[in-house]
């Protein structure tokens, strides 16, 4: 599933997310988690939000936290290349 850049709806205290919104949210969490291969031990998000438990909610947070950590690790691991390191001589 391609990840779109459309901003998600911002909910207020009176709003209730629709089942389609929650399914879209979980699909986005799965897409981010699956796009980053360096996430060992990160739990799978739940299949749906029906009867969501605290553990399933924590699994969603852990998947997003693992993605954030992987992105920060990638940002710090740039390898610069130039003539001397790329065999340019």
């Amino acid at each position: 599933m391609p990840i779109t850049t459309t901003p998600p709806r911002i909910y207020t205290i009176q709003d209730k997310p629709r089942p389609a919104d929650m399914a879209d949210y979980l699909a986005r969490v799965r897409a981010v988690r699956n796009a980053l291969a360096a996430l060992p031990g990160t739990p799978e998000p739940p299949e749906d939000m029906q009867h969501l438990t605290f553990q399933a909610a924590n699994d969603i947070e852990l998947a997003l936290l693992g993605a954030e950590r992987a992105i920060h690790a990638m940002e710090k691991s740039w390898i610069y290349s130039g003539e001397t390191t790329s065999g340019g001589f």
Side-chain angles (χ1 to χ4, degrees):
M1 172 185 138
I3 299 175
T4 61
T5 57
T6 307
R9 179 177 175 199
I10 297 174
Y11 292 95
T12 65
I13 194 80
Q14 291 86 14
D15 291 330
K16 292 183 182 176
R18 299 173 306 183
D21 296 334
M22 299 311 294
D24 182 56
Y25 174 73
L26 286 176
R28 288 171 186 254
V29 170
R30 268 190 221 91
V32 168
R33 183 190 178 279
N34 294 338
L36 301 167
L39 298 174
T42 304
E44 281 282 338
E47 290 299 315
D48 58 35
M49 295 295 223
Q50 198 82 11
H51 310 294
L52 184 69
T53 64
F54 285 111
Q55 184 59 51
N58 287 339
D59 289 347
I60 293 170
E61 291 295 321
L62 287 172
L64 294 173
L65 182 61
E68 182 180 28
R69 287 181 179 163
I71 290 169
H72 287 305
M74 286 187 277
E75 290 172 342
K76 293 179 181 179
S77 65
W78 290 105
I79 298 174
Y80 295 96
S81 178
E83 287 183 4
T84 58
T85 57
S86 298
F89 282 103

